[in-house]
Amino acid sequence: MTTPAATRERTSGRSAEARPAPFPRRSSGGVSKTMRRQAVSAWLFLCVPIVLFVVFLLVPIAWALYLSFTDYAVIGDTTWVGAANYVRMWTDPYFWIALRNTTVYTLLYVPLGLVIALGTALLLNRDSAAARVFRTLFYIPVVSSTVATASIWFWLLNPQYGIFNVVLGWFGIDGPAWLYDSKWAMFAIVLMSVWAGFGANMIIFLGGLQGVSPDLKEAARLDGANAWQVFWHVTLPGVSKTTYLVATLLIIAAFQVFDQAYVLTKGGPGNSTLTLVYYIYNQGFGSLKMGYASAISFVLFLIILVFSLVNARVSNAKADGR
Amino acid sequence: MTAARSATTPVTRRRTRRSILGSIAWYVGATLIAVCTVGPLLWTISTSLKPAADILSGYLELIPRNPTVENYVTVFTDTPFARYLFNSMFLAVAGTVTNVVFGSMGGYALARLRFRGRRVVFGGFLASMMIPTIVTMIPTFLVLRFFPLAGGNDIFGQGGFGFINTYWAVIIPFAAGPFAVFFMKQVFEALPDELGEAARVDGAGEFRIFSRVYAPLARTGMAVLGVLTFQAGWNSFLWPLIVLNDPSLFTVQVALSSFITEHETNYGPLMAGTIASTIPVLLVFVLAQRYIVQGVAHTASK
């Protein structure tokens, strides 16, 4: 642990020396005075973010961890219950329903969001005025809030008059009741979330595609590779880092899905859209079981952490393999 | 010259035909996606301009038969919608100003000043961005509720409601987010060292070097951060839902979400409210599109 830090220290020291001296070295006393002044200014500059960081991040995390071992409920006495909250999760059917729903949402949302974002980025990866106009048009859904999006989709998904079932009707398909059908409600929320979010990831992919060498693609093409082979063997490996980043962002966001389920379905019908964050919200602020809610939020935290780490592993291994 | 040209013609023509076909396919594909992304918004605008009688009977008409603003009038007279808009605007602007100011100062210190502990502070900010907000939500609520001497509380944080049900409950916890500090650090790191060194030789103080030399050069970065923060603030939902229970403090998002529950079948006013709540961010997007694209791309390059 000490070795890399020491190495870094040495490197940074060397690079500082390599640069032209920042000020004439009158005396070592003058230098240290300037350094001290810099340090004092730095802490002054940083004091607001640091205070807020401590009060609204470090303290809350420690507090949440403590709460998760108590039966804290805002009112009434608080007792230390040990791991009871964590044990209770095992036998709480609603926790498992919420976990399953959130997993289903993630498993649908992440691949779909990834493919559509990359697909649209590939489509618009050219330098033309038309591509810029389409980039703006594709990005529009990102601008509106999840609540406004939910409201719009509430209308789109109306079983009788919504555009979804109207279009399905043209093909002779009798569309489902979407948000009123426990089999389709979560899928509808996935579609809505993909629609609302892919534009931002498309922009990230467009940035990543800039880094793929056109010469390499041209060389592959000259070697007789078809468009699919160029994509699979040149473009896709070229954006593997971006893909990892976008996938991680999507997974982290997916596990925290709340707004859409709260606004559109209130977790229903039949708990089919009850998500983990929604359940934490219900337990913590609805039933005021803040100890139990804190325990669930820590489990959610761990799940997100595991997924991020696994994803980093897989993507790195892939990048090394090539 | 002529011979060479005539020799290449068949190839060129074949290629041209293929490229014309390809570009038609490109336009068709891109237009279809654009219809999917923009269509719902247009349909919402159109629905919001239809009288109640036409909404269900003429639900497929994109151009309203009898355009009217009655839905907007309903929204603004039946509910204090202007008040909701003001609340959202106030909170979003306050969040933007504080994040740009404190984020710039903090980011500047991490990027350009040398001091012991810099790596620890930076590492802390970086790690904190990976912590989902839900984990800190309940204790943050409790910190605000039991804040000493705030909102009728005594020195031990008892007796009142602290910052709950005040604007402060939304502003303070997010006034200087780690993201703002991190983002501005990247911006200031990209600026040249020499300017500050020259000013330091001239005897300028550190705050002066920041405010007169570097801050003006970081204006684009600040604009990007400002636009992103404004959008996030305007669109934020869960936190205002938790800490603002007084209807006169509702943000437009919280109000809109209760519309959906209350006016389940009253689509006209609902769509009007949706459009009214989206116009401010849409305007910001139209005016600051360049910054948004830059900001999203920059976020990714970290």
Side-chain angles (χ1 to χ4, degrees):
Chain A
M1 208 50 213
T2 46
T3 330
T7 323
R8 240 179 290 139
E9 209 65 71
R10 239 181 291 129
T11 347
S12 69
R14 207 182 300 142
S15 69
E17 260 169 23
R19 260 186 264 141
F23 32 75
R25 298 192 180 184
R26 279 159 299 201
S27 69
S28 59
V31 171
S32 78
K33 200 173 150 199
T34 320
M35 293 300 284
R36 213 176 50 226
R37 229 176 49 197
Q38 266 197 40
V40 171
S41 316
W43 290 110
L44 281 176
F45 276 38
L46 277 162
C47 67
V48 173
I50 288 177
V51 167
L52 292 178
F53 178 78
V54 171
V55 176
F56 292 106
L57 211 99
L58 290 188
V59 168
I61 288 174
W63 199 347
L65 191 61
Y66 163 73
L67 286 178
S68 74
F69 292 102
T70 70
D71 63 354
Y72 183 74
V74 186
I75 29 180
D77 294 333
T78 305
T79 41
W80 179 266
V81 295
N85 286 326
Y86 292 93
V87 174
R88 190 168 141 204
M89 252 177 268
W90 276 103
T91 53
D92 178 357
Y94 292 105
F95 167 75
W96 291 104
I97 290 172
L99 181 61
R100 194 195 60 205
N101 290 341
T102 310
T103 309
V104 167
Y105 175 86
T106 306
L107 288 177
L108 290 170
Y109 173 73
V110 174
L112 212 56
L114 209 57
V115 167
I116 291 180
L118 179 57
T120 47
L122 286 169
L123 190 69
L124 300 188
N125 187 30
R126 52 171 76 185
D127 194 28
S128 73
R132 275 193 294 278
V133 170
F134 280 118
R135 192 183 67 186
T136 304
L137 296 178
F138 290 9
Y139 191 83
I140 290 264
V142 181
V143 177
S144 50
S145 70
T146 41
V147 180
T149 305
S151 172
I152 293 170
W153 278 65
F154 188 61
W155 176 221
L156 297 180
L157 292 167
N158 181 295
Q160 266 177 294
Y161 304 102
I163 196 80
F164 268 84
N165 283 356
V166 168
V167 172
L168 287 175
W170 292 343
F171 296 98
I173 301 167
D174 195 11
W178 298 109
L179 298 169
Y180 305 97
D181 183 336
S182 59
K183 279 205 278 304
W184 289 96
M186 188 53 104
F187 185 65
I189 288 179
V190 169
L191 280 184
M192 185 189 105
S193 309
V194 170
W195 179 82
F198 84 87
N201 298 321
M202 171 191 78
I203 303 278
I204 296 178
F205 269 123
L206 277 170
L209 286 170
Q210 302 279 303
V212 179
S213 145
D215 296 345
L216 212 57
K217 279 194 275 187
E218 190 54 40
R221 226 169 270 137
L222 288 175
D223 284 347
N226 60 32
W228 171 253
Q229 286 167 326
V230 171
F231 167 73
W232 191 252
H233 295 290
V234 181
T235 312
L236 202 55
V239 291
S240 70
K241 264 184 121 173
T242 314
T243 311
Y244 152 60
L245 175 90
V246 173
T248 310
L249 291 176
L250 284 173
I251 291 171
I252 293 173
F255 269 102
Q256 297 185 74
V257 59
F258 169 80
D259 297 10
Q260 300 91 318
Y262 178 87
V263 175
L264 283 178
T265 55
K266 293 271 180 261
N271 289 320
S272 62
T273 56
L274 179 73
T275 66
L276 276 173
V277 171
Y278 197 172
Y279 191 51
I280 295 168
Y281 171 83
N282 267 350
Q283 291 295 304
F285 295 100
S287 318
L288 293 182
K289 290 177 191 155
M290 292 195 166
Y292 186 46
S294 298
I296 306 174
S297 70
F298 262 95
V299 170
L300 175 61
F301 181 24
L302 286 181
I303 293 173
I304 292 175
L305 199 67
V306 166
F307 268 86
S308 310
L309 293 177
V310 167
N311 191 28
R313 252 269 164 74
V314 170
S315 307
N316 283 344
K318 225 180 184 176
D320 291 343
R322 287 224 165 79
Chain B
M1 192 68 186
T2 340
R5 192 184 287 163
S6 65
T8 58
T9 309
V11 180
T12 324
R13 194 173 292 156
R14 212 180 310 138
R15 202 174 272 168
T16 317
R17 195 174 297 150
R18 252 193 86 171
S19 78
I20 286 176
L21 274 177
S23 102
I24 290 174
W26 185 84
Y27 272 98
V28 170
T31 307
L32 275 177
I33 299 171
V35 166
C36 291
T37 56
V38 184
L41 210 59
L42 294 178
W43 202 31
T44 304
I45 294 174
S46 148
T47 306
S48 77
L49 295 171
K50 288 175 188 168
D54 287 3
I55 286 181
L56 295 185
S57 64
Y59 61 98
L60 275 184
E61 290 158 7
L62 197 55
I63 312 286
R65 226 179 314 167
N66 313 299
T68 167
V69 292
E70 73 180 40
N71 293 319
Y72 289 88
V73 174
T74 308
V75 165
F76 278 89
T77 51
D78 282 9
T79 72
F81 207 78
R83 174 80 200 189
Y84 301 148
L85 286 171
F86 170 81
N87 290 337
S88 280
M89 187 58 79
F90 179 79
L91 292 171
V93 169
T96 305
V97 171
T98 55
N99 271 287
V100 169
V101 170
F102 296 129
S104 296
M105 291 175 69
Y108 174 82
L110 289 176
R112 305 228 67 99
L113 298 176
R114 296 175 65 195
F115 62 99
R116 282 167 65 92
R118 186 174 68 167
R119 203 163 281 147
V120 175
V121 173
F122 179 61
F125 282 135
L126 202 59
S128 75
M129 288 199 288
M130 293 167 197
I131 295 167
T133 42
I134 185 76
V135 177
T136 54
M137 206 170 62
I138 288 170
T140 301
F141 176 87
L142 297 175
V143 167
L144 291 166
R145 188 176 188 283
F146 296 114
F147 209 90
L149 303 178
N153 280 346
D154 58 22
I155 188 87
F156 302 109
Q158 301 297 320
F161 290 99
F163 288 118
I164 300 304
N165 265 328
T166 67
Y167 288 134
W168 296 113
V170 178
I171 297 173
I172 298 174
F174 309 104
F179 174 74
V181 175
F182 179 81
F183 184 91
M184 290 314 294
K185 173 183 179 278
Q186 306 287 89
V187 170
F188 282 113
E189 255 169 5
L191 299 174
D193 294 334
E194 291 77 17
L195 301 165
E197 282 151 16
R200 221 162 266 149
V201 171
D202 290 345
E206 292 302 334
F207 186 77
R208 206 181 157 77
I209 298 174
F210 163 71
S211 63
R212 294 292 165 83
V213 180
Y214 282 110
L217 294 173
R219 263 186 305 211
T220 310
M222 291 180 193
V224 173
L225 176 66
V227 169
L228 292 179
T229 316
F230 179 84
Q231 280 194 327
W234 182 269
N235 290 342
S236 75
F237 175 64
L238 179 53
W239 191 246
L241 176 75
I242 289 172
V243 294
L244 303 175
N245 303 312
D246 178 351
S248 70
L249 294 175
F250 276 2
T251 65
V252 79
Q253 310 298 342
V254 173
L256 193 61
S257 92
S258 63
F259 276 23
I260 299 178
T261 323
E262 286 158 23
H263 302 256
E264 198 158 326
T265 48
N266 206 353
Y267 284 108
L270 180 59
M271 295 298 113
T274 303
I275 295 303
S277 78
T278 307
I279 283 174
V281 267
L282 214 54
L283 273 180
V284 169
F285 173 68
V286 170
L287 297 174
Q289 208 204 114
R290 186 165 61 96
Y291 295 128
I292 292 171
V293 170
Q294 218 174 312
V296 172
H298 182 98
T299 315
S301 67
K302 71 188 175 191

